[in-house]
C-alpha cells in the first residue's frame, strides 16, 4: 500500500478519504471478523462501541496499538510483526502439547494448525491477538475439547496463591507501616495507609505469575513493593482525589492469571468505599479467570463475599444499576475468549464500562491495547504491569468531550419532573404524559422534536388546567437512548400520570400542518407503534395501569406495539422488527 495514503495512528483512521485505503480497511475488518454489518449478532454496534470508545462520525476504531496498526499497513511484514506471529504460533504449540497426550493425534492437529496458520498470515492483515483467538478455537475443535482444557491448572494456581498469601514473608510486607514521618492526623494516616496498601496489592497482583513459579524471599518482596510504591507516586494525587468518595471501578483480568491476588486487591478497594465490577472471560483464555472459575473454585469463594455473579450477556441499564446498589462486588463475563477486544464484548460489559468511573486494567496486554493506541476512550483508564524493566503504572484520561451522566444526575432530573407532576396534582390539575417518536427515524431527531413541540403547544391551548409532560422539553444533549429510557421509566412509574397518550399518525399529520409543511415520505404512516422506545413505554403503561386502574391509555391499540423487539443498545433509533417464523 502507498504509505502516503495510510494514516499513521489509529485515531486518524477515517473512511472516505481514499478508496484504496477504504478497500484495504474493509478487507482488514473482515479478515479479523470485526466488521459489524457482516456479523451484527456477534460484533458490537457503533452505538454500543460509543459507550467505550470516543469516535467521530466517520472514524473507525481498531483494537490494537498504533505500532501494530503501522506494521499491518506496511507493504511487507516487518521483523517485529513476524516475531508477534511466531509468538502466537508458540502459544498454540504449547496449548496443543498441554492437553493432547497422544502423539499421532498431536501431530495431526499441529499439521492442520500449521496449514491454517500459513493461510492466516499470508496477507499480514490479521491482528496477532485475533490470530491467537482463531487458532485456539481450531485447536479446541480439532481436539474435541468441549470443556475448558486448563481449568485444573487455574485451580492449582489459585490454591498456590492462597498458600502464598499466608506466608509470613508476604504478610509481613503487606502489613508493614508506611515509611516516612508520622501523619499529623487520622485523615492523613488513613490516606497514607490506604495508598500503601493499594500499591502493595497492585504489586502482588502484577507479580502473581512470577512469584507462583519462583517463591520470592522477604527481601525480594520488600524491594518489589517499594518499587511499586515509588512508581505509583505519579498517580498519588489522582488516587487521593477519590479518597472518601465512592466510585465504580471496572477491573480487567489478565491471561497470566493471579485471580486470587486480584480479588484481595478488589476487597481492599471495596473496604475503601468503592464498588467493583470484576470482568472475567466468558470462556477459555489460558490462565485468565472464567465465569465457571468464580462460581466453582473453592479457593476464590471467600474472596467473592458480598458479591454476585451475573451471567446475562445483555443486562439492561436498570438491572445493572440495581445490582450495583445491592452489591459492592459484581462479577460479569466480558463476552470474549481473547485479549481485550471491544468489538466482541457483551452488551453487559459495554454498559459496565459506561457506568464505571475508572477502568483498571491488569497486565501488559491491556496496556498495549488501551495505552498503546492513540484512540481516545470514554472513561479514565489505569493500567499496571511488570516487565523486565520493573513495575509500571500509567493513567490515560478520558476524552475531553466524553461526558458521564451518573445515576444520581439522571435520578435528579427525573425527580425534578416528578416534583412538577406532584405539584400539579396538589393543585387539582390532571397529568398527561405524551409518548411520541423522538429518535425512531435515523436523521430525523430534530424534526421529531419540532413536531412534538408544535403538537403539545397546540394541545395546551385547547385543554384547560392540565399538565402535559412533553419529552422533547427534557431532551438533554449528550444522553444516549439508555440514559433517557432510564430517566423516563422513573417518571412513568411514579403513579402520578392520569392520562397516558401515545402519538398517532393523525397527531403527526396535524403537527406537520401546524408547521405549514406536508408530511414527507419518511414520516408517512408512522406513529408511536413504529418506535421501540414507545413499545417499551406501552409495556410500562400497561404495568402501571394494572396498579392504577383509573389511569387512561389513549392512542393506537396496545397489540399493535408488540411486533418490535428489544430496544436498540444505546440507540435513539429502533432495533429492527423481528421476522416471525
Amino acid at each position: 500500500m502507498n504509505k502516503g495514503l495510510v494514516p499513521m495512528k489509529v485515531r486518524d483512521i477515517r473512511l472516505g478519504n481514499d478508496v484504496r485505503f477504504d478497500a484495504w480497511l474493509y478487507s482488514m475488518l473482515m479478515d479479523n471478523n470485526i466488521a459489524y454489518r457482516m456479523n451484527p449478532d456477534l460484533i458490537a454496534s457503533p452505538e454500543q462501541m460509543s459507550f467505550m470508545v470516543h469516535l467521530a462520525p466517520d472514524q473507525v476504531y481498531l483494537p490494537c496499538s498504533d505500532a501494530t496498526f503501522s506494521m499491518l499497513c506496511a507493504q511487507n511484514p516487518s521483523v517485529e510483526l513476524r516475531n508477534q506471529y511466531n509468538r502466537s504460533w508458540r502459544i498454540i504449540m504449547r496449548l496443543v502439547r498441554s492437553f493432547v497426550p497422544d502423539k499421532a493425534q498431536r501431530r495431526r492437529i499441529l499439521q492442520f494448525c500449521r496449514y491454517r496458520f500459513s493461510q492466516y498470515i499470508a496477507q499480514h492483515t490479521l491482528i496477532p491477538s485475533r490470530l491467537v483467538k482463531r487458532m485456539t478455537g481450531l485447536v479446541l475443535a480439532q481436539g474435541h475439547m468441549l470443556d475448558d482444557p486448563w481449568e485444573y491448572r487455574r485451580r492449582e494456581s489459585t490454591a498456590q496463591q492462597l498458600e502464598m498469601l499466608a506466608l509470613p514473608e508476604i504478610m509481613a510486607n503487606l502489613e508493614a507501616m508506611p515509611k516516612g514521618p508520622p501523619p499529623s492526623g487520622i485523615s492523613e494516616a488513613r490516606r497514607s495507609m490506604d495508598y500503601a496498601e493499594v500499591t502493595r496489592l497492585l504489586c502482588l497482583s502484577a507479580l502473581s505469575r512470577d512469584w507462583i513459579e519462583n517463591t520470592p524471599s522477604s527481601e525480594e518482596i520488600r524491594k518489589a513493593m517499594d518499587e511499586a510504591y515509588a512508581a505509583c507516586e505519579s498517580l498519588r494525587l489522582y488516587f487521593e482525589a477519590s479518597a472518601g468518595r465512592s466510585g465504580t471501578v471496572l477491573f480487567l483480568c489478565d491471561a497470566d492469571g493471579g485471580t486470587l491476588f486480584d480479588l484481595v486487591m478488589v476487597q481492599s478497594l471495596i473496604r475503601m468505599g468503592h464498588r467493583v465490577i470484576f470482568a472475567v472471560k466468558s470462556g477459555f483464555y489460558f490462565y485468565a479467570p472464567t465465569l465457571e472459575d468464580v462460581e466453582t473454585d473453592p479457593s476464590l469463594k471467600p474472596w467473592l463475599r458480598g458479591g454476585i455473579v451475573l451471567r446475562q450477556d445483555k443486562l439492561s441499564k436498570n438491572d445493572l444499576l440495581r445490582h450495583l446498589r445491592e452489591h459492592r462486588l459484581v462479577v460479569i463475563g466480558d463476552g470474549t475468549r481473547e485479549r481485550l477486544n471491544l468489538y466482541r464484548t457483551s452488551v453487559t460489559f459495554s454498559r459496565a464500562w459506561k457506568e464505571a468511573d475508572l477502568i483498571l486494567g491488569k497486565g501488559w496486554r491491556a496496556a498495549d491495547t488501551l495505552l498503546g493506541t492513540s484512540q481516545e476512550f470514554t472513561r479514565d483508564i489505569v493500567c499496571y504491569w511488570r516487565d523486565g524493566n520493573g513495575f509500571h503504572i500509567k493513567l490515560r484520561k478520558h476524552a475531553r468531550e466524553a461526558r458521564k451522566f451518573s445515576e444520581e444526575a439522571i435520578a435528579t432530573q427525573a425527580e425534578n419532573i416528578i416534583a412538577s407532576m406532584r405539584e400539579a396534582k396538589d393543585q387539582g390539575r390532571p397529568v398527561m404524559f405524551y409518548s411520541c417518536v423522538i429518535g425512531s427515524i435515523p436523521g430525523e431527531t430534530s424534526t421529531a422534536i419540532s413536531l412534538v413541540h408544535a403538537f403539545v403547544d397546540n394541545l395546551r391551548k385547547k385543554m384547560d388546567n392540565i399538565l402535559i409532560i412533553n419529552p422533547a422539553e427534557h431532551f438533554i444533549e449528550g444522553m444516549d437512548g439508555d440514559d433517557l429510557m432510564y430517566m423516563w421509566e422513573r417518571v412513568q412509574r411514579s403513579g402520578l400520570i392520569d392520562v397516558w397518550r401515545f402519538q398517532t399518525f393523525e397527531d403527526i399529520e396535524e403537527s406537520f400542518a401546524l408547521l405549514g409543511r406536508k408530511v414527507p415520505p419518511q414520516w408517512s404512516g408512522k406513529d408511536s407503534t413504529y418506535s421501540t422506545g414507545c413499545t417499551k413505554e406501552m409495556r410500562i403503561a400497561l404495568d402501571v395501569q394494572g396498579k392504577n386502574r383509573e389511569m387512561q391509555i389513549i392512542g393506537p391499540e396496545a397489540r399493535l406495539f408488540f411486533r418490535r423487539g428489544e430496544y436498540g443498545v444505546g440507540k435513539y433509533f429502533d432495533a429492527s422488527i423481528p421476522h416471525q417464523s
Side-chain angles (χ1 to χ4, degrees):
M1 188 186 303
N2 186 337
K3 285 191 175 183
L5 304 175
V6 178
M8 298 301 293
K9 296 180 178 180
V10 171
R11 71 179 178 192
D12 297 328
I13 300 174
R14 298 289 191 280
L15 286 171
N17 292 332
D18 183 87
V19 292
R20 285 172 293 177
F21 176 73
D22 288 356
W24 176 87
L25 181 62
Y26 279 125
S27 177
M28 187 261 195
L29 293 172
M30 292 172 65
D31 288 346
N32 287 277
N33 197 12
I34 52 176
Y36 169 65
R37 296 190 184 279
M38 294 296 294
N39 205 343
D41 293 332
L42 283 179
I43 299 164
S45 67
E47 293 76 24
Q48 185 180 334
M49 288 295 291
S50 70
F51 287 177
M52 304 173 283
V53 185
H54 183 71
L55 293 169
D58 59 345
Q59 195 173 0
V60 177
Y61 167 69
L62 290 180
C64 63
S65 66
D66 285 357
T68 299
F69 170 64
S70 178
M71 289 187 291
L72 295 173
C73 288
Q75 284 188 321
N76 298 306
S78 65
V79 173
E80 177 58 27
L81 182 61
R82 290 185 182 278
N83 288 340
Q84 290 193 31
Y85 283 154
N86 289 338
R87 177 181 178 276
S88 301
W89 174 249
R90 291 194 297 273
I91 290 171
I92 296 306
M93 285 198 299
R94 286 199 296 269
L95 174 62
V96 173
R97 290 167 179 161
S98 72
F99 76 92
V100 183
D102 182 75
K103 288 185 178 180
Q105 184 186 15
R106 189 164 66 225
R107 191 180 305 114
R108 178 180 60 80
I109 293 175
L110 284 173
Q111 187 60 40
F112 172 75
C113 288
R114 188 174 288 110
Y115 176 75
R116 296 298 292 171
F117 179 84
S118 299
Q119 284 189 318
Y120 287 148
I121 67 172
Q123 298 298 319
H124 63 88
T125 56
L126 207 59
I127 298 171
S129 59
R130 291 294 290 156
L131 176 60
V132 172
K133 162 67 170 60
R134 193 165 295 180
M135 294 297 296
T136 300
L138 289 177
V139 167
L140 297 183
Q142 287 291 306
H144 306 290
M145 287 296 299
L146 299 177
D147 298 321
D148 188 327
W150 280 21
E151 182 179 1
Y152 74 96
R153 289 191 176 204
R154 292 196 299 276
R155 229 168 241 211
E156 286 181 353
S157 176
T158 54
Q160 282 181 278
Q161 292 167 59
L162 191 61
E163 291 176 4
M164 285 187 65
L165 198 60
L167 290 177
E169 298 91 336
I170 287 184
M171 288 305 299
N173 281 282
L174 286 176
E175 295 292 333
M177 289 295 292
K179 297 177 181 178
S184 59
I186 291 178
S187 297
E188 185 181 339
R190 186 176 292 115
R191 286 197 303 270
S192 175
M193 287 189 288
D194 285 348
Y195 174 76
E197 181 178 324
V198 166
T199 59
R200 291 166 185 175
L201 292 175
L202 285 170
C203 174
L204 184 65
S205 170
L207 281 160
S208 54
R209 182 172 179 178
D210 293 339
W211 286 356
I212 289 169
E213 292 175 354
N214 298 290
T215 303
S217 66
S218 179
E219 182 61 19
E220 288 172 330
I221 296 169
R222 184 190 63 76
K223 285 183 177 179
M225 290 185 176
D226 285 349
E227 180 187 21
Y229 187 94
C232 291
E233 276 295 326
S234 60
L235 297 182
R236 184 162 190 159
L237 291 177
Y238 180 83
F239 288 145
E240 291 187 347
S242 64
R245 178 170 55 86
S246 178
T248 302
V249 178
L250 173 61
F251 182 83
L252 309 180
C253 298
D254 185 57
D256 281 346
T259 310
L260 190 137
F261 290 161
D262 298 339
L263 284 170
V264 173
M265 183 185 62
V266 162
Q267 288 295 338
S268 177
L269 293 175
I270 291 171
R271 180 192 60 74
M272 295 174 195
H274 301 294
R275 293 181 295 268
V276 178
I277 304 172
F278 194 73
V280 300
K281 294 298 172 182
S282 296
F284 167 68
Y285 183 53
F286 305 101
Y287 280 103
T290 66
L291 286 168
E292 289 293 330
D293 292 339
V294 294
E295 289 187 323
T296 61
D297 190 333
S299 298
L300 297 179
K301 285 188 177 181
W303 298 97
L304 292 164
R305 60 186 181 273
I308 185 171
V309 179
L310 304 177
R311 281 188 168 270
Q312 297 96 317
D313 285 334
K314 295 184 177 180
L315 204 64
S316 70
K317 179 184 180 82
N318 269 352
D319 287 338
L320 177 60
L321 291 177
R322 175 173 56 82
H323 286 302
L324 286 170
R325 285 193 298 270
E326 295 172 356
H327 306 278
R328 307 298 294 181
L329 173 61
V330 173
V331 182
I332 64 170
D334 71 358
T336 75
R337 295 181 291 117
E338 61 181 304
R339 188 189 297 189
L340 182 66
N341 177 3
L342 299 182
Y343 276 109
R344 302 302 292 268
T345 53
S346 65
V347 171
T348 298
F349 178 87
S350 303
R351 283 198 167 114
W353 183 296
K354 182 171 178 282
E355 297 306 324
D357 299 296
L358 172 69
I359 313 301
L360 183 58
K362 172 184 174 177
W364 65 267
R365 297 169 184 85
D368 183 63
T369 303
L370 298 175
L371 304 183
T373 177
S374 53
Q375 179 59 56
E376 292 187 296
F377 298 93
T378 60
R379 298 292 176 264
D380 288 355
I381 296 169
V382 170
C383 291
Y384 67 97
W385 70 100
R386 171 78 184 227
D387 59 20
N389 296 319
F391 180 89
H392 308 273
I393 184 166
K394 291 186 179 179
L395 165 69
R396 179 178 203 143
K397 297 288 286 184
H398 64 270
R400 186 177 302 175
E401 299 85 355
R403 183 178 176 188
K404 179 187 177 185
F405 290 90
S406 66
E407 181 184 3
E408 292 76 15
I410 297 172
T412 298
Q413 180 73 8
E415 289 303 321
N416 290 337
I417 299 169
I418 292 170
S420 67
M421 296 164 67
R422 188 172 288 113
E423 182 181 357
K425 298 279 282 186
D426 291 342
Q427 296 169 355
R429 301 166 62 199
V431 175
M432 175 187 289
F433 188 90
Y434 189 54
S435 284
C436 54
V437 172
I438 291 289
S440 297
I441 304 174
E444 291 290 306
T445 300
S446 59
T447 301
I449 291 173
S450 299
L451 292 177
V452 70
H453 277 316
F455 184 80
V456 172
D457 287 347
N458 190 55
L459 202 60
R460 285 167 177 159
K461 293 175 184 176
K462 295 189 292 185
M463 303 182 74
D464 187 36
N465 200 35
I466 185 172
L467 174 65
I468 303 175
I469 303 296
N470 172 8
E473 293 174 345
H474 304 277
F475 187 87
I476 300 173
E477 191 66 36
M479 272 194 181
D480 59 35
D482 276 24
D483 295 331
L484 287 167
M485 290 304 296
Y486 177 74
M487 180 183 79
W488 284 121
E489 185 167 353
R490 292 179 72 103
V491 172
Q492 292 155 357
R493 292 190 181 277
S494 66
L496 297 172
I497 299 174
D498 298 296
V499 181
W500 197 325
R501 179 168 179 159
F502 286 81
Q503 189 179 45
T504 64
F505 176 59
E506 290 78 14
D507 293 349
I508 291 175
E509 284 185 325
E510 183 180 342
S511 301
F512 275 108
L514 289 167
L515 294 174
R517 297 173 55 189
K518 291 183 178 181
V519 179
Q522 61 268 34
W523 283 90
S524 180
K526 300 297 191 294
D527 61 14
S528 52
T529 67
Y530 182 78
S531 165
T532 308
C534 288
T535 297
K536 181 173 181 178
E537 290 181 336
M538 176 57 80
R539 296 184 190 277
I540 296 170
L542 293 172
D543 187 37
V544 171
Q545 190 182 56
K547 300 169 185 175
N548 177 17
R549 305 301 296 178
E550 297 301 316
M551 188 187 80
Q552 295 294 110
I553 301 175
I554 57 177
E557 292 182 56
R559 63 180 178 82
L560 298 176
F561 286 84
F562 303 136
R563 56 187 177 149
R564 290 197 170 270
E566 177 62 25
Y567 191 74
V569 177
K571 297 180 180 180
Y572 289 130
F573 57 92
D574 295 327
S576 60
I577 300 175
H579 294 289
Q580 300 295 323
S581 56

